[in-house]
Amino acid sequence: MKSNYFLNNKHLVDGLFIIGWMYLPPHDPHVDDPMRFKPLFRVHLMERKSATVECMYGHRGPHNGHIQIVKKDEFSTKCNQTDHHRMSGGRQEEFRTWLREEWGRTLEDIFHEHMQELILMKFIYTSQYDNCLTYRRIYLPPSHPDDLIRPGLFKGTYGSHGLEIVMLSFHGKRARGTKITGDPNIPAGQQTVEIDLMHRIQLPDVESLRSFNELSRIVLEVREQVRQEQQQQEDGAEDGEGRAPQSPREPQRGPAQPSVELPAEKGGGPVDGEAAAAAAPVPEQPAQSGQGQPFVLPVGVSSRNEDYPRTCRMCFYGTGLIAGHGFTSPERTPGVFILFDEDRFGFIWLELKSFSLYSRVRATFRNAEAPSPQAFEEMLKNIQSLTS
């Protein structure tokens, strides 16, 4: 049984019908395009509190279905005529139709063997559960005036997996990206990226940024700094005997001085004239003055979308979750969170040498706010536990 998540206005009353819609990301890699949607089920409201349920999946029109209320904020649908989901040309025709509708491509368009394998895995997985679906409510993240940007839902590129939906939320000194849709490696509900708002990364000039080794050096030195700080906090907690360790500074959001400066070049300390410059205050960067800092992907970093922004506001150290097929051997690996503007951000996966671009979902969802911050946190724990 496959799980889906729903927001309030995915179920719209249309005359005497309640229609459940599936929201789909645009075709890969066009993250700025609007969401797509198609009907999944329809409830025909009758007199005397009776109703009929129709499954809308497939290409042969509405057919008999069933809905069961499991518990509060959770229900399931079942198709009673699954032959309506099948096509006369068999699985091959179904796969080609699914590929055209879901990816906007034909099989002949896809030359990369690994991508073909991943797409076929996704088709097999989704078609296995098209007759019985479970829906659980999700809330949109609460917003605060000091958030880096407005939280919410974003469409993101995930290499050969295509576009996926991620929920960006803020939690004090950290921000999290939680998958609302998943793939054969990282399922829905998992925390795909985590951003450390206490460790801002100052990028080098554009020419230096083209070097992957230079970016890797900067990020790994920040990772080591984070590890040392965590170790100091743990040691302080053990040795404090009632004296609490000094707490880190609150994250500086908006136009603030970077908390991490560029580490020295490999090969020794500063030479003539560099010592004084190293001791001087860090000059204000373009991103801090509101002009935007030039940005380019390092050579060797792959991107599904070459039409990414060429200026950014600021960058932070972060980690991304990677795993093998079936969510095997998951691990968090270092990366860079790049804030482009209010509606777009990116993440460079250092170990994968890959770049994900995220663009805000602009669809409006009514009555989808969490009743309290605690309810939102509880929801995140629940959806993560379903796939852990």
Side-chain angles (χ1 to χ4, degrees), residues 9-10 12 21-25 35-38 363-365:
N9 73 334
K10 276 196 175 184
L12 306 178
W21 295 91
M22 174 185 287
Y23 280 78
L24 301 165
M35 295 283 284
R36 300 174 295 126
F37 55 93
K38 65 180 182 180
T364 301
F365 300 97

Side-chain angles (χ1 to χ4, degrees), residues 9-297:
N9 73 334
K10 276 196 175 184
H11 309 94
L12 306 178
V13 177
D14 182 12
L16 296 177
F17 294 94
I18 297 177
I19 303 177
W21 295 91
M22 174 185 287
Y23 280 78
L24 301 165
H27 291 141
D28 177 56
H30 308 293
V31 293
D32 290 326
D33 286 358
M35 295 283 284
R36 300 174 295 126
F37 55 93
K38 65 180 182 180
L40 277 184
F41 63 86
R42 181 170 65 183
V43 181
H44 186 190
L45 303 178
M46 313 289 286
E47 295 181 0
R48 298 181 181 178
K49 297 183 180 181
S50 63
T52 60
V53 178
E54 295 174 310
C55 176
M56 307 283 283
Y57 196 88
H59 298 81
R60 296 169 61 180
H63 46 282
N64 187 28
H66 174 74
I67 284 184
Q68 179 180 0
I69 306 299
V70 179
K71 58 183 178 180
K72 181 182 178 182
D73 296 335
E74 182 177 329
F75 67 94
S76 63
T77 61
K78 182 179 180 180
C79 176
N80 295 333
Q81 294 177 280
T82 55
D83 57 302
H84 281 63
H85 301 181
R86 308 281 75 89
M87 303 185 77
S88 58
R91 298 294 276 174
Q92 186 174 8
E93 182 185 1
E94 292 170 14
F95 175 61
R96 288 183 175 273
T97 302
W98 175 85
L99 189 61
R100 185 174 60 252
E101 292 180 349
E102 301 302 313
W103 291 76
R105 304 183 186 186
T106 65
L107 192 59
E108 290 71 26
D109 295 333
I110 304 170
F111 302 104
H112 197 286
E113 185 176 346
H114 180 60
M115 186 172 184
Q116 291 178 352
E117 178 186 351
L118 290 176
I119 290 176
L120 182 58
M121 287 176 60
K122 198 165 189 176
F123 167 73
I124 293 173
Y125 175 75
T126 55
S127 60
Q128 279 180 332
Y129 302 100
D130 60 7
N131 65 323
C132 192
L133 300 171
T134 296
Y135 301 80
R136 296 177 177 88
R137 184 186 302 279
I138 59 171
Y139 297 119
L140 293 179
S143 178
H144 301 93
D146 59 344
D147 287 340
L148 196 64
I149 59 173
R150 181 166 54 90
L153 299 175
F154 289 79
K155 302 156 285 184
T157 57
Y158 278 85
S160 299
H161 293 301
L163 298 189
E164 300 182 20
I165 306 301
V166 168
M167 177 184 288
L168 179 69
S169 56
F170 292 92
H171 309 262
K173 300 165 187 174
R174 296 184 180 275
R176 298 172 185 165
T178 303
K179 279 197 174 186
I180 301 303
T181 59
D183 55 59
N185 292 67
I186 308 294
Q190 292 298 316
Q191 186 178 310
T192 177
V193 294
E194 181 175 87
I195 303 100
D196 187 342
L197 299 174
M198 292 295 291
H199 291 86
R200 185 167 165 182
I201 290 180
Q202 181 178 327
L203 295 179
D205 60 83
V206 171
E207 288 306 313
S208 299
L209 184 57
R210 294 183 188 276
S211 168
F212 177 80
N213 290 338
E214 175 66 8
L215 177 66
S216 179
R217 180 182 65 81
I218 294 173
V219 175
L220 293 180
E221 292 211 14
V222 176
R223 182 179 68 169
E224 178 61 21
Q225 178 184 340
V226 172
R227 188 195 67 78
Q228 292 178 3
E229 291 175 358
Q230 291 174 342
Q231 186 63 49
Q232 290 173 0
Q233 290 181 6
E234 293 173 1
D235 294 343
E238 293 175 359
D239 302 335
E241 294 180 352
R243 189 182 71 181
Q246 184 178 358
S247 59
R249 294 180 294 117
E250 287 294 319
Q252 295 175 317
R253 299 179 180 175
Q257 222 31 283
S259 59
V260 178
E261 297 179 10
L262 278 174
E265 292 289 340
K266 289 184 178 179
V271 296
D272 293 344
E274 290 184 349
V282 178
E284 186 181 71
Q285 297 299 308
Q288 297 167 321
S289 61
Q291 299 175 6
Q293 178 180 356
F295 175 80
V296 65
L297 285 176

